[in-house]
Amino acid sequence: MSKKVRSFFSLHNPVLFRFKMGRELKEIVEKIDEIAAERIRFGFTVTTQPQNRDRPQTHSYVDESKVVGREEDKEEIVKLLLAHDCNQNVAVLPIIGMGGLGKTTVAKIIFQDGRVKKHFQPLIWVRVSDEFDVAKLAKAIIASARGTERHESIMKRSKAMIASARGTEGQESKMELLQAMIASARGTEGQESNMELLQLSLREVISGKRYLLVLDDVWNEDQAKWDELKTLLETGGEGSRIIVTARNEQVSSIMRPLYVHHLKGLTEDDSWTLFRKRAFEEGAEEHQNLVSIGKEIVKKCGGLPLAVKTLGGLMHSKSQEREWSSVRDSEIWDMQAGEDGILPALRLSYSHLPSHLKQCFPFCATFPKDYEMEKDLLIQLWMANGFIPSDGRKDRLEEKGHEIFNELVWRFFFQDIKLVEEAEEYRTSLFYLGDRSYRHELYYTTTCKMHDLMHDLAQSISRPDPAKWEEECRRTRHLCTSENVQLNIHRTLNNYPNIRTLLSSIKGFHTTISVTADSSKPRSLRALDLHNTIIPRLPIKAGFLKHLRYLDLSGTFIKALPDATSTLFNLQTLKLSGCWRLHKLPEDMRNMTSLRHLYIDRCDSLKHLPAGIGQLSSLQILTKYIVGNDAGRRIVELNGLNLGGLLELYNLRNVRDAADAKEANLSSKHNLCSLILCWDMIEWHPPYCYADSAHRCCEEDVLPTKNAEEVLEALRPHGGLKLLTIWRYGGGSSPMWMMDFVLLQNLVEIHLGVCTGCQHLPPLWQLPFLKFLYMIKMDSIKHICSSTIYGNASNGTVQAFPSLKRLVLHTMQSLDKWSEYEGTAEVTLNFPHLAELKIIDCPNLKTMPDLPSLKSLQMEGTNKQLGLVCSLTTLSSLLIVVRKTSTGTESPPLAQKQPSFRYFRSLENLAITASEDLAPLLQKEEETRGLSTSLHDFNISHCNWLFSSSQQSSLPLGFWKNLTSLLSLSIRFCDDLVYWPEEEFRSLNSLKRIYIYGCNKLVGPSPLPLSSSVDGELLPNLEKLDIRRCDGLLELPKLPTSLKSLYVLGCPKLNSFTEGLQQRLPGLQCLVIGGCPNLERQCKRGGPYWHLVSRIPYVDILPQRRTISNFLPSFPCFGRPSEV
């Protein structure tokens, strides 16, 4: 092809990747000096402290009903996994077979087998591929085992710094602070990349646990590297297993495996079953001649599922016997798979693609292997490069793009198709800094991947001949930068004068863009992606971007686009989402008549739009529209636009009346998936508006609007919405269309916020697919379900919200019942699938419906509401916060129906922030006995009654004796913690981690002897102690020999280590000290402790300026239930 795809995405240098093609890494190492020179020439520099981000992980789900011929393989391996006759603590079981044979598929069906899930915990899935970097693999294993805990911690820190930066608007130091934010996030990641910290973290997540780890697609043949990783993994519990999928027998030979499973090809019968599923329409008549030819084709596939499925997809599009015969008799079958491993069947499938698909498919090699590609992004880039034929109708380009995508899926060039709405990993974390996906956009995002062999095929088609590398570099058309490079954009564009696509930072966090005095005139550039890069302005003059069709500047620090941007008449896609400094778009934007996709959501500083948006007749995506008062900015501008995806409407108070609202013509916009309706300019930002600090976003009163009700009635949408938000609505009632069951039946998520006048909710309880319901500051709502729900009662029970998984009720002062006739009707209200419930500041709610599936509860309110917890024995996570009233007095005493933990046998995570009136809940040992086998994480905050120093008697509360399975303990802001709580800690023999933060009265060990003898060492399994911001701390306690990590930060009165602790120091693996001036001096080189400290593998003595950002500890947070 004349258009060659060039991809630069090595983990260290993008140029290096060019040579790395075809597994030529060994030759490149010998030419390292030459490569360094080329690196300089092409304008790339390797950062000295590169980011360490996880590559996207292959997911572990597969539809087992579509898997053919692998039941025996599955049963054999599962039997070995569950066997108890292995004398290895952690045994390895490799699955070996050539590419395309289905090794990953077999691993997936094993991974999701019910017996395996019950036997192992945790289950961990990591994609390995070519590079076997032990540090990166350890980090990926930790991330998979922990879920998103670490990611959320980093995001909280970044969010805090963003808020700080926003507070310094206009100051010269703002950009520096923003860059510090990125450095902070990167530094946190980099810190964990240190092998000592990594091995400690890895030990923390797998130690003593019977885990199952799948290492997918391993190529490593280096015995030393494998041994290094295996040593880290051997701390797992007895019976832990590691499944490895690999193509090479040598890979398994270095692992000393329990058993090697050699995966064979499918039988002819199974191959034919798989082929016919794809080649023939279900239920259609199968022509006998085609069946005969098809079976001959299947024989040529050699039992390889990938080849069978791909050719089955190819034959589905062919109905003539001569076409089938042509495939069977093709000369391509006679070609042998070369060094690149490309199967003849895959080459044959590609050769039969229509011409436009032959351009679209190789372009995907621009992305790295295993990269999760977004369907809409692919289509927009295909459009930008002219790969999608218009057939004379430019309005159908996206539709044609979807057809191409679906065709490539059907022909099995793409796989692992996911609707992000259904993907658990996207819904676990509500916010992604540096990622394209945000929660309210999830309902129209589809992702896919390419099998490694398909990626190899795409590269073999698009890459240049390595022998002619210099010549081909000058012909480069498509470039994708690595995640670890600093991109000099002008120098790069100058060295690639014919480049058409430049993608940077595709994997998340910010890539640094350097701009030099070099001029660049990229006259051929069609697509430019600089999203999440640290740039304050467009780095290329608009005059040189005349042919540009795709521009992504989302997540950058741009304040305004130059007016000349409106002269980019070919631009089809403009992405500015998350540019929170952006306050102005070009006034002549209406002249950009080719514009089809305009993303401007989450641009908080953008308060008005240019006039004449309605003149952009090709516009199909407009994520945000701000209704104005003057001509060209009114809501009528939306009338003729066929919009889809997400639409946020702000300043609806400027809509004059119902007739004006109807001009928006929302009911005809059938491609909309998410609709946000807001009556002013206060942004709707999930999840911040539901956080503890959400009161701030609700403080400003909703201004009364005379016509609010009639306007909302006239904004009736179409019936295909997945997400609906009504925000800061001033009307007193819901519109009639919200009573329409048919209209709203496809809704998956609803947000109702700051609608203070609404007194009744529509019948949301009957919506069949509603999974997520959020309500905040609905001050006049008294009940969730109306009396009509009782018409569905059966056997004394009525079911509400048949699919609801998460419910958030936040700041609803009048809410006192779940249903209108609660207490008078003898019917039990049941929420059958609700797994997560948050009730925050709803002081009058005193009852609970039947919640048989509830796993996570966050209750923040008064002591009277604590009785609601006692019946929820299925919980695995519980957070209780009892706040003070506005008068400063504590809430009333506990209700007569006191909560008890006696039957809470599944509770793993417990957090308490409460007054001393909660003490009776934990006073009696027998009432908390249910926690003895289940509770692993306990978080205490602002509880000045938990330790014996605050009790009238010296005896600790009885519940401490039952925490025998506790692994992690966090204590924050507890002023009654004066001395090290030796009595309380007596029974915590399983405890591995202690976090103490902000306990300013803590001075150290008790001067008095224990009231009774303690057998053996206190806390015998403690591995990590983290103490921060304890201003009064004078002395550290006696610590056990098991301790591996010690963090002491912000304890200025701590001057020295006790003699006993000094003896422990050389046995530590990690020591971090900061904000302790006297202690710091003694631990540095030349100090009295240096000879002890210097023997610790990882030591960090933080200077004062660095400790400020490190005072915030990463306390364990509650993970959402797996069912949600």
Side-chain angles (χ1 to χ4, degrees):
M1 291 176 57
S2 61
K3 301 177 180 178
K4 302 290 186 178
V5 179
R6 301 299 301 153
S7 299
F8 282 67
F9 38 89
S10 158
L11 290 173
H12 299 288
N13 189 306
V15 177
L16 204 61
F17 187 84
R18 308 288 290 269
F19 291 96
K20 192 176 177 183
M21 300 291 190
R23 303 182 62 78
E24 296 171 356
L25 182 60
K26 292 182 180 179
E27 296 178 15
I28 296 307
V29 171
E30 298 171 357
K31 301 178 182 179
I32 196 164
D33 292 336
E34 179 184 345
I35 294 171
E38 295 292 351
R39 171 179 61 78
I40 296 171
R41 177 188 165 213
F42 290 121
F44 294 93
T45 58
V46 180
T47 56
T48 56
Q49 293 182 333
Q51 303 171 52
N52 289 283
R53 295 176 301 231
D54 296 335
R55 63 185 301 173
Q57 303 298 310
T58 53
H59 67 85
S60 56
Y61 175 76
V62 66
D63 186 348
E64 192 168 353
S65 65
K66 296 180 180 179
V67 178
V68 175
R70 293 305 186 196
E71 186 63 29
E72 289 185 10
D73 296 288
K74 170 190 163 185
E75 289 302 319
E76 182 177 347
I77 297 172
V78 169
K79 183 179 178 181
L80 288 166
L81 291 176
L82 304 182
H84 296 285
D85 56 354
C86 171
N87 57 6
Q88 294 176 273
N89 199 43
V90 178
V92 182
L93 199 159
I95 303 174
I96 304 298
M98 67 179 296
L101 203 52
K103 301 180 296 297
T104 300
T105 299
V106 172
K108 286 180 179 180
I109 61 176
I110 293 167
F111 195 83
Q112 61 192 47
D113 183 86
R115 295 164 294 174
V116 170
K117 288 183 176 180
K118 185 177 180 180
H119 187 76
F120 296 100
Q121 196 61 239
L123 282 81
I124 307 166
W125 184 283
V126 173
R127 170 80 171 190
V128 181
S129 202
D130 293 346
E131 185 184 25
F132 198 90
D133 185 301
V134 175
K136 289 186 178 181
L137 289 176
K139 184 180 174 187
I141 292 168
I142 294 166
S144 179
R146 285 181 175 173
T148 58
E149 177 182 333
R150 176 150 190 83
H151 180 79
E152 290 175 351
S153 175
I154 295 170
M155 293 307 100
K156 287 177 182 178
R157 293 176 62 183
S158 299
K159 183 176 70 174
M161 296 191 73
I162 289 174
S164 177
R166 288 178 175 173
T168 61
E169 184 68 52
Q171 298 179 17
E172 290 295 321
S173 62
K174 183 170 183 181
M175 184 60 69
E176 294 179 4
L177 186 55
L178 289 166
Q179 291 173 343
M181 175 195 75
I182 305 303
S184 174
R186 288 177 175 172
T188 306
E189 292 289 304
Q191 185 182 10
E192 185 154 323
S193 295
N194 179 280
M195 279 307 300
E196 283 304 321
L197 292 183
L198 278 173
Q199 69 92 8
L200 290 170
S201 297
L202 186 57
R203 184 195 302 270
E204 191 174 292
V205 298
I206 66 172
S207 181
K209 299 176 183 177
R210 185 167 60 197
Y211 66 83
L212 173 66
L213 168 63
V214 175
L215 297 176
D216 186 32
D217 193 25
V218 178
W219 290 83
N220 173 62
E221 298 177 9
D222 188 327
Q223 180 79 54
K225 286 185 176 180
W226 169 252
D227 288 344
E228 185 180 358
L229 179 63
K230 181 71 182 300
T231 299
L232 297 178
L233 297 172
E234 286 177 342
T235 60
E238 183 179 354
S240 295
R241 298 289 184 263
I242 302 172
I243 295 177
V244 174
T245 69
R247 300 187 194 180
N248 193 336
E249 187 78 41
Q250 180 63 24
V251 172
S252 65
S253 67
I254 67 173
M255 297 178 175
R256 296 180 288 277
L258 167 68
Y259 166 81
V260 178
H261 186 85
H262 291 92
L263 196 63
K264 299 177 181 179
L266 297 177
T267 65
E268 285 191 18
D269 288 342
D270 287 334
S271 295
W272 172 245
T273 300
L274 186 59
F275 180 88
R276 73 188 296 182
K277 280 185 177 182
R278 304 193 66 82
F280 298 104
E281 293 285 352
E282 186 175 357
E285 183 181 355
E286 300 174 5
H287 194 284
Q288 189 57 42
N289 288 351
L290 297 186
V291 170
S292 298
I293 298 171
K295 289 185 176 181
E296 293 182 61
I297 293 173
V298 166
K299 286 182 181 179
K300 291 175 178 283
C301 292
L304 289 174
L306 179 63
V308 172
K309 288 185 287 188
T310 304
L311 282 174
L314 169 64
M315 304 321 295
H316 181 81
S317 62
K318 300 181 183 299
S319 58
Q320 300 298 316
E321 185 176 334
R322 58 180 175 78
E323 294 176 310
W324 283 57
S325 297
S326 174
V327 172
R328 178 195 62 190
D329 301 332
S330 173
E331 294 180 357
I332 295 178
W333 289 111
D334 299 326
M335 297 174 60
Q336 297 298 317
E339 292 183 2
D340 56 8
I342 306 302
L343 301 173
L346 303 188
R347 291 192 187 276
L348 183 60
S349 297
Y350 175 78
S351 69
H352 281 263
L353 288 178
S355 58
H356 55 284
L357 267 68
K358 285 184 176 179
Q359 289 182 300
C360 293
F361 168 66
F363 175 82
C364 299
T366 307
F367 298 97
K369 277 188 179 181
D370 198 42
Y371 182 73
E372 201 162 41
M373 300 176 289
E374 289 185 17
K375 177 181 178 180
D376 288 344
L377 174 62
L378 273 181
I379 292 173
Q380 289 164 3
L381 292 174
W382 288 340
M383 289 170 53
N385 282 282
F387 296 158
I388 301 178
S390 64
D391 298 331
R393 290 188 58 187
K394 291 187 177 181
D395 60 318
R396 290 191 66 250
L397 284 176
E398 288 83 2
E399 184 179 340
K400 186 69 175 179
H402 286 287
E403 292 174 2
I404 292 172
F405 181 89
N406 292 336
E407 183 75 9
L408 289 171
V409 170
W410 179 256
R411 293 172 182 262
F412 225 76
F413 285 86
F414 292 155
Q415 64 178 28
D416 292 347
I417 312 303
K418 285 193 294 187
L419 294 175
V420 179
E421 169 196 342
E422 301 171 358
E424 190 64 32
E425 59 267 35
Y426 282 84
R427 305 207 62 90
T428 303
S429 179
L430 301 183
F431 175 72
Y432 291 81
L433 179 63
D435 194 280
R436 299 175 189 274
S437 299
Y438 280 74
R439 181 173 181 81
H440 52 291
E441 296 176 5
L442 300 184
Y443 298 104
Y444 54 93
T445 299
T446 300
T447 65
C448 70
K449 291 184 179 182
M450 286 198 296
H451 190 282
D452 281 358
L453 291 183
M454 284 298 183
H455 196 277
D456 292 342
L457 173 63
Q459 285 183 339
S460 72
I461 297 163
S462 60
R463 72 185 181 189
D465 183 349
K468 300 178 181 179
W469 185 80
E470 288 287 349
E471 176 186 346
E472 294 295 341
C473 270
R474 293 192 292 271
R475 299 172 56 191
T476 296
R477 295 292 185 270
H478 310 290
L479 180 70
C480 173
T481 67
S482 165
E483 65 204 64
N484 290 333
V485 302
Q486 183 180 51
L487 175 65
N488 185 315
I489 189 167
H490 289 309
R491 194 174 301 166
T492 301
L493 292 173
N494 282 336
N495 281 285
Y496 295 91
N498 297 312
I499 193 171
R500 289 174 173 263
T501 305
L502 176 59
L503 307 178
S504 71
S505 188
I506 63 169
K507 284 193 177 181
F509 269 107
H510 298 64
T511 292
T512 302
I513 300 290
S514 62
V515 179
T516 63
D518 303 345
S519 61
S520 58
K521 302 177 181 180
R523 301 186 185 279
S524 300
L525 199 61
R526 299 293 194 272
L528 177 61
D529 183 348
L530 300 176
H531 88 282
N532 291 329
T533 53
I534 307 174
I535 52 173
R537 64 185 65 84
L538 185 64
I540 306 170
K541 292 183 178 179
F544 299 130
L545 300 173
K546 294 297 184 183
H547 296 288
L548 196 67
R549 298 177 183 177
Y550 178 96
L551 177 60
D552 188 351
L553 301 173
S554 55
T556 62
F557 302 144
I558 286 178
K559 290 184 177 181
L561 287 178
D563 291 335
T565 307
S566 60
T567 65
L568 301 181
F569 301 124
N570 292 306
L571 194 65
Q572 298 170 336
T573 302
L574 177 58
K575 296 185 175 181
L576 300 165
S577 300
C579 294
W580 57 269
R581 304 179 83 197
L582 182 72
H583 62 83
K584 182 178 180 293
L585 294 175
E587 285 300 325
D588 293 332
M589 205 168 189
R590 60 185 178 276
N591 297 329
M592 302 172 69
T593 53
S594 297
L595 197 62
R596 310 172 73 88
H597 317 114
L598 178 58
Y599 297 81
I600 50 174
D601 51 291
R602 304 186 307 279
C603 296
D604 296 6
S605 301
L606 189 63
K607 301 303 181 184
H608 69 276
L609 298 183
I613 291 292
Q615 296 179 37
L616 301 175
S617 57
S618 298
L619 206 60
Q620 300 192 19
I621 296 288
L622 175 63
T623 58
K624 180 178 181 178
Y625 186 77
I626 302 169
V627 181
N629 275 316
D630 50 337
R633 292 186 172 89
R634 304 200 60 79
I635 200 168
V636 69
E637 294 293 313
L638 302 178
N639 183 277
L641 300 180
N642 183 25
L643 299 177
L646 165 70
L647 175 61
E648 298 181 352
L649 292 179
Y650 283 92
N651 252 4
L652 287 172
R653 63 176 60 259
N654 286 334
V655 179
R656 295 172 180 171
D657 49 34
D660 196 17
K662 286 181 180 179
E663 291 292 335
N665 202 17
L666 291 186
S667 60
S668 70
K669 304 186 191 308
H670 297 287
N671 294 322
L672 281 180
C673 293
S674 301
L675 179 63
I676 287 83
L677 303 175
C678 181
W679 263 254
D680 52 29
M681 284 303 300
I682 297 179
E683 296 273 344
W684 174 74
H685 271 323
Y688 304 141
C689 49
Y690 304 110
D692 293 340
S693 57
H695 297 280
R696 291 198 297 269
C697 75
C698 305
E699 284 176 356
E700 190 171 333
D701 292 335
V702 176
L703 297 176
T705 306
K706 295 180 180 179
N707 59 1
E709 293 179 11
E710 62 176 286
V711 166
L712 182 56
E713 189 66 59
L715 292 174
R716 179 188 178 96
H718 70 96
L721 285 182
K722 296 294 187 69
L723 182 147
L724 174 65
T725 296
I726 299 177
W727 187 247
R728 301 185 64 81
Y729 165 64
S733 62
S734 301
M736 290 302 298
W737 54 263
M738 288 193 74
M739 310 290 177
D740 188 339
F741 170 81
V742 176
L743 183 73
L744 302 184
Q745 64 179 336
N746 292 309
L747 280 171
V748 175
E749 185 166 344
I750 295 177
H751 298 253
L752 303 174
V754 203
C755 304
T756 54
C758 286
Q759 298 183 9
H760 301 283
L761 292 174
L764 304 178
W765 52 267
Q766 64 183 352
L767 298 180
F769 304 116
L770 186 65
K771 296 180 181 178
F772 307 95
L773 177 58
Y774 301 78
M775 290 185 280
I776 181 170
K777 201 168 174 57
M778 305 287 287
D779 289 344
S780 302
I781 296 296
K782 295 184 178 181
H783 50 262
I784 306 296
C785 303
S786 65
S787 59
T788 57
I789 193 172
Y790 295 107
N792 299 325
S794 175
N795 298 323
T797 300
V798 59
Q799 288 198 350
F801 299 101
S803 300
L804 195 67
K805 293 186 176 183
R806 176 189 288 152
L807 175 61
V808 175
L809 304 174
H810 196 315
T811 317
M812 300 179 66
Q813 301 293 324
S814 300
L815 183 67
D816 59 2
K817 296 178 181 178
W818 291 89
S819 59
E820 188 172 4
Y821 291 160
E822 183 179 299
T824 58
E826 296 181 0
V827 176
T828 301
L829 189 63
N830 180 283
F831 289 30
H833 296 110
L834 189 67
E836 183 175 354
L837 175 61
K838 295 186 178 183
I839 302 175
I840 302 172
D841 195 16
C842 303
N844 293 303
L845 189 63
K846 304 292 195 310
T847 63
M848 278 284 191
D850 187 17
L851 304 171
S853 303
L854 194 66
K855 299 297 181 184
S856 176
L857 173 65
Q858 179 177 340
M859 172 73 72
E860 301 187 23
T862 70
N863 281 347
K864 281 187 174 181
Q865 294 175 298
L866 292 172
L868 303 180
V869 178
C870 62
S871 62
L872 305 176
T873 56
T874 61
L875 288 176
S876 60
S877 292
L878 173 61
L879 187 154
I880 299 175
V881 177
V882 178
R883 302 185 184 278
K884 291 185 177 182
T885 63
S886 57
T887 60
T889 59
E890 297 292 343
S891 305
L894 289 170
Q896 291 183 352
K897 189 178 182 181
Q898 292 188 4
S900 168
F901 287 127
R902 180 181 296 225
Y903 303 108
F904 280 65
R905 306 193 186 280
S906 301
L907 192 65
E908 297 178 2
N909 305 301
L910 174 63
I912 294 178
T913 302
S915 70
E916 60 186 13
D917 290 324
L918 190 62
L921 173 63
L922 305 174
Q923 182 72 57
K924 298 179 181 179
E925 181 180 348
E926 60 272 16
E927 291 299 318
T928 57
R929 195 156 287 150
L931 304 178
S932 61
T933 58
S934 64
L935 193 66
H936 297 321
D937 294 283
F938 186 29
N939 292 265
I940 308 163
S941 181
H942 295 91
C943 295
N944 296 324
W945 45 272
L946 271 172
F947 299 99
S948 55
S949 59
S950 64
Q951 308 297 314
Q952 291 182 353
S953 68
S954 61
L955 295 177
L957 296 177
F959 85 103
W960 287 104
K961 296 180 180 179
N962 288 321
L963 303 185
T964 54
S965 298
L966 195 66
L967 300 176
S968 178
L969 174 64
S970 298
I971 305 171
R972 304 173 63 202
F973 305 110
C974 293
D975 289 341
D976 70 325
L977 184 60
V978 178
Y979 300 114
W980 188 249
E982 294 165 327
E983 289 284 354
E984 286 81 352
F985 285 177
R986 268 209 226 175
S987 301
L988 308 187
N989 291 333
S990 298
L991 193 66
K992 293 182 179 296
R993 301 173 294 278
I994 297 179
Y995 305 85
I996 301 178
Y997 181 83
C999 298
N1000 291 326
K1001 294 185 178 180
L1002 177 64
V1003 295
S1006 173
L1008 302 176
L1010 295 178
S1011 58
S1012 59
S1013 63
V1014 179
D1015 296 331
E1017 195 175 45
L1018 198 67
L1019 304 174
N1021 289 297
L1022 186 67
E1023 295 181 356
K1024 180 177 181 179
L1025 175 61
D1026 191 330
I1027 301 180
R1028 310 193 187 201
R1029 282 292 179 91
C1030 296
D1031 295 346
L1033 186 65
L1034 300 174
E1035 181 182 335
L1036 291 174
K1038 181 181 179 182
L1039 297 172
T1041 55
S1042 59
L1043 193 72
K1044 302 297 182 185
S1045 302
L1046 176 61
Y1047 293 74
V1048 184
L1049 297 167
C1051 302
K1053 294 183 179 180
L1054 185 63
N1055 297 323
S1056 62
F1057 292 132
T1058 62
E1059 183 176 346
L1061 183 54
Q1062 291 179 41
Q1063 296 173 1
R1064 294 275 190 270
L1065 287 178
L1068 293 178
Q1069 295 183 11
C1070 174
L1071 175 65
V1072 179
I1073 298 174
C1076 313
N1078 294 328
L1079 187 59
E1080 290 170 26
R1081 283 192 292 270
Q1082 299 188 69
C1083 291
K1084 290 181 178 179
R1085 185 181 297 274
Y1089 298 152
W1090 174 248
H1091 69 290
L1092 301 172
V1093 169
S1094 60
R1095 288 186 257 171
I1096 301 174
Y1098 182 85
V1099 177
D1100 199 354
I1101 309 300
L1102 302 174
Q1104 186 67 29
R1105 59 184 174 83
R1106 287 180 57 196
T1107 56
I1108 295 175
S1109 63
N1110 284 282
F1111 280 152
L1112 295 176
S1114 54
F1115 292 113
C1117 57
F1118 289 104
R1120 52 179 296 165
S1122 58
E1123 291 82 0
V1124 175

